């Protein structure tokens, strides 16, 4: 039998270390390592810095092929705004859809793909998937990481009611026209099913458990990143944008100035980072430390360094997106301090499995008290339960095998090679 062919369409991809790009990259890696013939149409890496990452320039198209030929990546130029406002985000996504369209035309002259995955956002990418399927066939899977339109509305990124009505109509057409609709969280699944005739499939964010595990005797890790061994580290690691509500950490740090052993570390980059650094400097806070994104070869050790991991979101984002950073925290046996209100899927999962400490969203006093408590008390059961949970429910191979069996009608017998598929330029 010929190998199954899979096409992935997504604006974010490896080597981006956070968000959608991380998962799309790991999915392509797994597919190629499992014997699938995988093609990716994506952009150049820019997230979460919102800046083109070296050595890429993004001025023209580029093709990358893995050493064994199972993975072919087409990178498309796009507009990347340094300060991503609502209108600029729309232009950013439209330029990618435009340039990716010409790659799809090129793929018309290559063998058809059995399955086409569209990674949303951007939700408009679904039109490219429908366009490809119309001419080349295959099953179209529309995979939703974030409910982009609702997030733009509820977080006031866009403010035109007429525009939102138009966008929701477009989205409904894409949802109903796809062969399968999938999403990363049960709470999002329920919301999406209200908008489409499909039974939405839960396709969870996974953990590459071979890359993340608990380290119990690494006493020098805190010193490696500039802290004292006696410091208690409350770590936020991920994208730094407005939807996280990280300004709360400035207030908390100001109130904890006399707790000299507690340090708040903010690791990552994003459009809101400079504003947070400015606020920290204005208040003369020395208990907040800003760190750059960490490379994958040290990321497991870095996550193990923290005493408590901060999973912070604004209330309105509660069931519109699933914090992707949480899965890796559980994989390393870390203690997750999570802002989630009762009734959200995240709150239900954490409560049911006892895998973290929950506090209400947008409650600075609750956040402050919880950080102090997490740095003082023993939460070994929650840490242990988190690792058990990812092993049982979020292993990458199990999740991808189950999904592919559902959308293709075939069982997947190949086991992924856990080693990274390294694309090389061709």
């Amino acid at each position: 039998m010929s190998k199954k062919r899979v096409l992935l369409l997504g604006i974010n991809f490896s080597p981006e270390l956070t968000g959608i790009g991380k998962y799309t990259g790991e999915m392509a890696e797994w597919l190629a390592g499992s014997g699938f013939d995988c093609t990716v149409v994506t952009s150049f890496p820019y997230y979460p810095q919102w800046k083109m990452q070296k050595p890429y320039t993004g001025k023209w198209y580029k093709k990358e092929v893995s050493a064994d030929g199972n993975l072919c990546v087409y990178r498309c130029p796009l507009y990347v705004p340094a300060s991503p406002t609502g209108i600029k985000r729309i232009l950013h996504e439209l330029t990618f859809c435009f340039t990716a369209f010409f790659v799809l035309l090129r793929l018309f002259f290559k063998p058809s793909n059995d399955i086409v995955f569209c990674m949303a956002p951007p939700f408009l990418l679904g039109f490219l998937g429908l366009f490809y399927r119309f001419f080349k066939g295959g099953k179209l899977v529309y995979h939703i990481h974030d409910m982009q339109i609702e997030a733009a509305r509820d977080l006031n990124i866009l403010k035109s009611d007429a525009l939102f009505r138009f966008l929701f109509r477009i989205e409904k057409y894409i949802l109903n026209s796809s062969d399968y609709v999938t999403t990363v969280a049960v709470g999002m699944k329920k919301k999406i099913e209200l908008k489409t005739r499909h039974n939405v499939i839960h396709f969870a964010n996974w953990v590459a458990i071979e890359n993340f595990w608990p380290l119990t005797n690494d006493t020098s890790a805190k010193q490696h990143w500039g802290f004292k061994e006696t410091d208690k580290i409350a770590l936020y690691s991920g994208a730094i944008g407005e939807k996280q509500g990280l300004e709360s950490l400035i207030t908390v740090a100001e109130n904890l100035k006399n707790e000299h052993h507690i340090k708040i570390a903010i690791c990552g980059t994003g459009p809101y980072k400079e504003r947070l650094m400015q606020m920290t400097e204005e208040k003369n806070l020395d208990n907040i430390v800003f760190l750059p994104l960490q490379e994958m070869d040290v990321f497991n050790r870095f996550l193990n360094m923290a005493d408590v991991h901060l999973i912070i979101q604004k209330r309105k984002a509660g069931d519109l997106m699933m914090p992707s950073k949480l899965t890796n925290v559980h994989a390393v046996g870390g203690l997750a301090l999570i802002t989630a209100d009762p009734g959200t899927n995240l709150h239900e999962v954490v409560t049911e499995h006892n895998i973290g400490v929950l506090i209400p969203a947008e409650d600075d006093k609750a956040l402050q008290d919880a950080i102090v408590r997490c740095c003082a008390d023993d939460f070994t059961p929650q840490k242990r339960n988190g690792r058990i949970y990812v092993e049982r429910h979020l292993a990458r191979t199990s999740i991808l095998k189950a999904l592919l069996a559902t959308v293709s009608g075939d069982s997947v017998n190949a086991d992924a090679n856990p080693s990274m598929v390294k694309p090389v330029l061709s």
Side-chain angles (χ1 to χ4, degrees):
M1 291 180 61
S2 60
K3 293 189 294 186
K4 286 274 188 180
R5 298 179 60 86
V6 177
L7 173 62
L8 300 179
L9 305 176
I11 197 170
N12 300 105
F13 189 68
S14 297
E16 293 177 353
L17 299 175
T18 63
I20 298 172
K22 170 184 179 296
Y23 288 101
T24 306
E26 289 179 356
M27 182 175 179
E29 166 198 332
W30 186 91
L31 289 167
S34 295
F36 288 83
D37 200 334
C38 183
T39 301
V40 181
V41 179
T42 188
S43 68
F44 294 89
Y46 69 89
Y47 185 83
Q49 298 90 346
W50 288 92
K51 180 180 178 182
M52 202 67 65
Q53 298 303 294
K54 295 179 180 180
Y56 296 102
T57 63
K59 294 181 179 179
W60 194 241
Y61 293 90
K62 188 176 291 291
K63 179 182 177 183
E64 300 170 341
V65 182
S66 63
D68 60 9
N70 283 350
L71 176 60
C72 180
V73 179
Y74 294 93
R75 296 194 183 271
C76 308
L78 80 170
Y79 163 65
V80 180
S83 178
T85 61
I87 297 300
K88 289 180 179 179
R89 283 177 185 264
I90 292 174
L91 292 174
H92 161 73
E93 295 176 359
L94 286 176
T95 58
F96 172 70
C97 291
F98 177 76
T99 59
F101 171 78
F102 294 100
V103 175
L104 288 189
L105 291 179
R106 178 178 179 180
L107 295 180
F108 283 180
F109 300 95
K110 296 183 180 295
S112 298
N113 288 277
D114 301 287
I115 307 172
V116 180
F117 285 92
C118 279
M119 305 302 186
F123 83 94
L124 287 172
L125 202 58
F127 276 126
L128 292 188
L130 293 171
F131 175 76
Y132 180 89
R133 186 190 64 181
F134 181 82
F135 289 98
K136 297 289 288 183
K139 298 288 187 179
L140 176 60
V141 183
Y142 187 70
H143 181 50
I144 302 173
H145 281 269
D146 294 344
M147 296 180 70
Q148 184 182 24
I149 305 174
E150 285 86 348
R153 178 194 63 196
D154 295 346
L155 298 175
N156 292 318
I157 296 173
L158 297 172
K159 298 180 180 180
S160 169
D161 291 338
L163 177 60
F164 281 120
R165 288 193 296 270
F166 176 67
L167 295 177
F168 279 124
R169 283 198 294 269
I170 293 175
E171 182 192 42
K172 185 174 182 178
Y173 175 79
I174 294 172
L175 290 171
N176 287 332
S177 301
S178 301
D179 294 291
Y180 298 93
V181 178
T182 63
T183 192
V184 296
V186 173
M188 292 169 60
K189 175 181 182 294
K190 294 176 182 177
K191 291 179 181 291
I192 296 166
E193 284 180 334
L194 298 175
K195 304 193 291 183
T196 177
R197 59 181 175 81
H198 285 293
N199 292 320
V200 179
I201 299 169
H202 182 209
F203 176 24
N205 284 338
W206 55 81
V207 180
I209 56 177
E210 65 274 9
N211 296 332
F212 296 96
W213 65 92
L215 300 174
T216 56
N217 298 311
D218 191 1
T219 58
S220 64
K222 289 181 180 178
Q223 290 180 314
H224 178 80
W225 275 280
F227 301 101
K228 299 177 183 177
E229 284 190 25
T230 55
D231 286 339
K232 295 291 184 179
I233 311 301
L235 173 66
Y236 173 86
S237 178
I240 302 175
E242 292 188 30
K243 70 183 180 183
Q244 285 79 23
L246 296 180
E247 61 274 3
S248 293
L249 295 180
I250 307 298
T251 303
V252 169
E254 189 173 20
N255 293 334
L256 292 178
K257 284 193 295 187
N258 294 327
E259 301 285 348
H260 300 292
H261 65 295
I262 297 179
K263 306 294 183 184
I264 296 175
I266 300 177
C267 171
T269 188
Y272 204 52
K273 184 175 182 178
E274 288 189 10
R275 174 59 182 149
L276 292 177
M277 294 177 70
Q278 181 182 354
M279 294 167 67
T280 300
E281 185 176 350
E282 289 172 353
K283 293 181 180 295
N284 195 28
L285 299 175
D286 60 2
N287 54 349
I288 292 187
V289 176
F290 290 88
L291 299 170
L293 277 174
Q294 304 297 305
E295 296 296 330
M296 188 56 67
D297 58 348
V298 299
F299 199 45
N300 184 64
R301 188 186 186 203
F302 179 72
L303 292 179
N304 272 274
M305 172 195 71
D307 297 279
V308 55
H309 297 262
L310 306 176
I311 311 298
I312 300 175
Q313 290 189 123
K314 288 185 177 180
R315 178 169 286 112
K316 289 183 177 180
D319 257 345
L320 303 180
M321 55 201 73
M322 181 61 75
S324 58
K325 61 186 77 65
L326 182 57
T327 54
N328 290 338
V329 170
H330 289 323
V332 301
L335 174 60
L337 172 55
I338 304 159
T339 62
D341 292 335
T344 62
N345 174 237
L346 183 56
H347 191 282
E348 292 171 358
V349 170
V350 174
T351 301
E352 178 183 355
H353 298 279
N354 191 25
I355 54 176
V357 176
L358 286 163
I359 60 172
E362 300 183 33
D363 188 333
D364 293 352
K365 184 62 167 61
L367 178 59
Q368 173 186 324
D369 293 343
I371 289 176
V372 173
R373 184 160 56 94
C374 289
C375 290
D377 297 346
D378 182 15
F379 289 90
T380 299
Q382 287 83 355
K383 297 178 186 179
R384 182 177 59 247
N385 291 343
R387 176 66 190 188
I388 293 171
Y389 179 78
V390 299
E391 290 176 346
R392 290 179 178 175
H393 301 285
L394 299 178
R396 174 174 58 170
T397 294
S398 299
I399 289 173
L400 288 171
K401 278 187 175 182
L403 178 74
L404 288 167
T406 299
V407 302
S408 69
D410 299 324
S411 61
V412 181
N413 297 316
D415 288 321
N417 183 349
S419 62
M420 191 69 176
V421 177
K422 303 289 188 183
V424 294
L425 296 182
S426 65

